[in-house]
Amino acid sequence: MKTARIFAILVVASAIIPGIGTAISFGEEGPFPIAHPYNIISAPAAGGDRILWIESTPLSFPDPGYYPWVPCAVYSYNITSQTKTLIRPRANNARSPDIDGDLAVWEEERGSSTDIILYNFTTGTVSALHTNKFQQNPRLSEYCIVWEEGFVGEREIWMYNTKSGNLYGLSTGKTDCFSPDIEGNTVIWVEKTDQDGYSIVSRDLVSGRQFVLGTTSAATFPRIDGGKAIWEDEGLIHLASNEEGGSILTDEPACRSGAIISDTIVAWSEDGRIFCSDLLETQTTRIGKWHASMKPAILDEGIVWIEYDQSALSSILYQPFSPLPKAGLQVVPCATIMPPTRGEQSGQLREGECAWYALDISAGTTQASLDFSWEEVNDSLSCTLIGPGGTIFRFTDSDDEVMDARVRISVTSHAGIIPGRWYCAISGESIRKNVCYSLIWYEYQVQKE
């Protein structure tokens, strides 16, 4: 008969990135229109279950960039409640929306300057961030906003902390810096290095260290999420991080734009179609109308993009991801786990970081158990299992019914757990400082005579 053996964590994935991943698949239903055909002048911004975009009004002025003082309207849509909300009915030459949590930002002409406008979804309040120079391309991460300030050739990157009220210059003294983005304690931007070249710069706000993630031949709009930055250059999609260096996601040059990343999902427009790539599963899916689909954004439960019709009007379409199958798996808390053998991994995390592990499940396994613990009960960590085909389980301290900085959970199936390559992500949700963790896996196989 077969005996129990350990759940082998033999390969530590090279990525140390925040967030969790999911394999991409789309259902047969959809896409669904979010905004009626109109003139949408911004790429939609997406965060959680919310979408934010800007429309020009009236239709007689199709591009307010060429007509001063043309009013715009700012809208949001909640995928969960399926409600559309007019946030700001009149916003002069509004551009560049972004959203994270309960905050939204965009740029807007006010008087003789361009300021950053903040909107709080919880309170419904609108406020402005004003400086003496033009502010453009704001990006948001929790309570921190970054933007480019000044005219072309002398632009600088600035950051504002909405909690402390502190204002920081991040790229002062440089030649020309623009197109910033921010995630947690990391800010990236484009810096002009010479007449024909640009660098993608990454700065750690805690240590102050700066890295050059890559170079480009033209100005671009890099985006960062999950510890990875993405941008397009010369028709190719580039991916890079401080720890892993750079890589190219696409094989051949093509007409690509609007590259964006969310956790492990990458999306872009290619020849007027939307392409989605799953970094974990190395699969690419194509959606949208040929030559009509542009400017994607990624939500928790799907993807949105702008689609143009024959009259040059544009709509926002939403395509949900397919529900992820659980394959007959059950999750039960375990007060004690007492196998004859065990395998263990350990490490340290800061808030917002995530350690990825890869493991292999053998055929015939009916129960997989984990014992995940950390040092301090006031810290909040989570453990996520990602199975073949995208099956996801996420565990926190309360899931085993005991709040003790420890999770003891078993995943079981009488028919057998899906064999193959699984992934495990340990994530720091709320941590006061570096925290040490321990992860122990057990694999049980059904006994056969």
Side-chain angles (χ1 to χ4, degrees):
M1 64 180 180
K2 294 183 178 180
T3 56
R5 66 179 182 87
I6 63 171
F7 206 159
I9 309 183
L10 300 178
V11 181
V12 178
S14 60
I16 304 297
I17 58 179
I20 62 173
T22 172
I24 299 175
S25 61
F26 296 102
E28 295 182 358
E29 296 185 356
F32 304 101
I34 298 300
H36 58 277
Y38 215 66
N39 189 30
I40 299 168
I41 62 173
S42 72
D49 58 358
R50 289 191 180 108
I51 306 168
L52 189 74
W53 73 92
I54 298 169
E55 295 181 4
S56 70
T57 56
L59 284 175
S60 57
F61 298 115
D63 189 346
Y66 297 103
Y67 299 89
W69 308 112
V70 171
C72 305
V74 183
Y75 289 89
S76 71
Y77 186 87
N78 189 299
I79 295 297
T80 302
S81 62
Q82 298 183 4
T83 55
K84 179 182 175 181
T85 303
L86 175 60
I87 292 177
R88 194 161 171 83
R90 190 176 181 86
N92 287 320
N93 290 352
R95 298 278 184 167
S96 307
D98 195 23
I99 184 173
D100 190 45
D102 284 336
L103 287 180
V105 295
W106 62 88
E107 66 181 72
E108 185 177 314
E109 282 192 12
R110 303 173 78 237
S112 60
S113 181
T114 300
D115 294 337
I116 294 173
I117 307 300
L118 291 78
Y119 177 79
N120 189 302
F121 283 96
T122 300
T123 62
T125 56
V126 177
S127 58
L129 178 62
H130 173 77
T131 65
N132 294 325
K133 295 183 179 181
F134 282 91
Q135 301 164 286
Q136 294 181 309
N137 294 324
R139 299 291 296 174
L140 179 66
S141 178
E142 294 185 284
Y143 46 83
C144 289
I145 307 167
V146 294
W147 67 93
E148 66 183 63
E149 184 165 303
F151 295 103
V152 174
E154 57 182 28
R155 291 168 290 186
E156 298 176 340
I157 305 301
W158 286 80
M159 183 180 79
Y160 177 71
N161 187 309
T162 60
K163 277 191 174 182
S164 67
N166 292 330
L167 187 67
Y168 308 88
L170 300 181
S171 68
T172 54
K174 302 295 183 180
T175 304
D176 192 24
C177 301
F178 52 94
S179 300
D181 199 10
I182 181 172
E183 181 196 34
N185 291 319
T186 303
V187 179
I188 63 172
W189 64 80
V190 180
E191 184 174 311
K192 190 171 180 58
T193 53
D194 54 49
Q195 185 175 358
D196 300 316
Y198 302 83
S199 294
I200 309 295
V201 177
S202 170
R203 175 165 179 167
D204 188 306
L205 297 176
V206 176
S207 66
R209 296 179 62 196
Q210 288 192 184
F211 306 84
V212 175
L213 298 178
T215 59
T216 74
S217 59
T220 186
F221 292 87
R223 292 292 176 249
I224 184 171
D225 196 65
K228 295 179 181 293
I230 188 170
W231 66 92
E232 62 268 1
D233 181 41
E234 296 185 337
L236 298 173
I237 303 297
H238 296 254
L239 185 74
S241 71
N242 294 340
E243 293 82 7
E244 300 172 59
S247 61
I248 298 177
L249 295 183
T250 48
D251 296 329
E252 299 291 338
C255 184
R256 298 184 175 100
S257 63
I260 192 167
I261 183 170
S262 178
D263 289 331
T264 62
I265 299 177
V266 173
W268 66 89
S269 176
E270 180 174 329
D271 295 323
R273 296 287 296 273
I274 303 300
F275 281 68
C276 301
S277 180
D278 187 331
L279 300 181
L280 289 181
E281 299 290 330
T282 62
Q283 68 176 41
T284 300
T285 305
R286 184 176 61 192
I287 56 177
K289 288 185 178 179
W290 191 261
H291 300 308
S293 303
M294 306 287 288
K295 302 177 181 179
I298 303 169
L299 295 139
D300 287 347
E301 303 297 334
I303 188 167
V304 296
W305 66 91
I306 294 179
E307 195 157 290
Y308 297 89
D309 61 22
Q310 294 180 349
S311 61
L313 296 180
S314 49
S315 302
I316 292 180
L317 299 185
Y318 167 61
Q319 177 65 62
F321 298 131
S322 294
L324 298 174
K326 291 298 186 288
L329 295 175
Q330 294 181 327
V331 179
V332 294
C334 299
T336 59
I337 302 175
M338 299 288 293
T341 57
R342 71 181 189 178
E344 182 173 358
Q345 292 287 334
S346 60
Q348 288 186 341
L349 286 177
R350 294 185 303 176
E351 183 170 333
E353 288 185 337
C354 180
W356 285 87
Y357 300 94
L359 48 105
D360 294 305
I361 302 295
S362 57
T365 299
T366 57
Q367 178 175 314
S369 302
L370 67 86
D371 190 344
F372 170 47
S373 61
W374 56 97
E375 294 174 315
E376 177 56 54
V377 69
N378 292 325
D379 291 327
S380 176
L381 279 75
S382 66
C383 177
T384 301
L385 287 180
I386 305 173
T391 303
I392 291 181
F393 296 99
R394 181 175 179 272
F395 307 116
T396 60
D397 196 358
S398 61
D399 287 327
D400 61 354
E401 302 175 354
V402 181
M403 296 292 292
D404 57 356
R406 188 177 183 184
V407 179
R408 287 172 289 190
I409 289 285
S410 289
V411 178
T412 65
S413 173
H414 295 298
I417 297 174
I418 300 174
R421 175 61 54 89
W422 286 60
Y423 294 91
C424 175
I426 305 300
S427 179
E429 306 292 326
S430 177
I431 300 173
R432 293 176 297 173
K433 56 181 181 180
N434 283 10
V435 61
C436 296
Y437 66 86
S438 173
L439 177 66
I440 308 171
W441 290 94
Y442 309 97
E443 180 184 288
Y444 301 88
Q445 294 191 338
V446 63
Q447 295 184 358
K448 294 182 179 181
E449 299 298 335

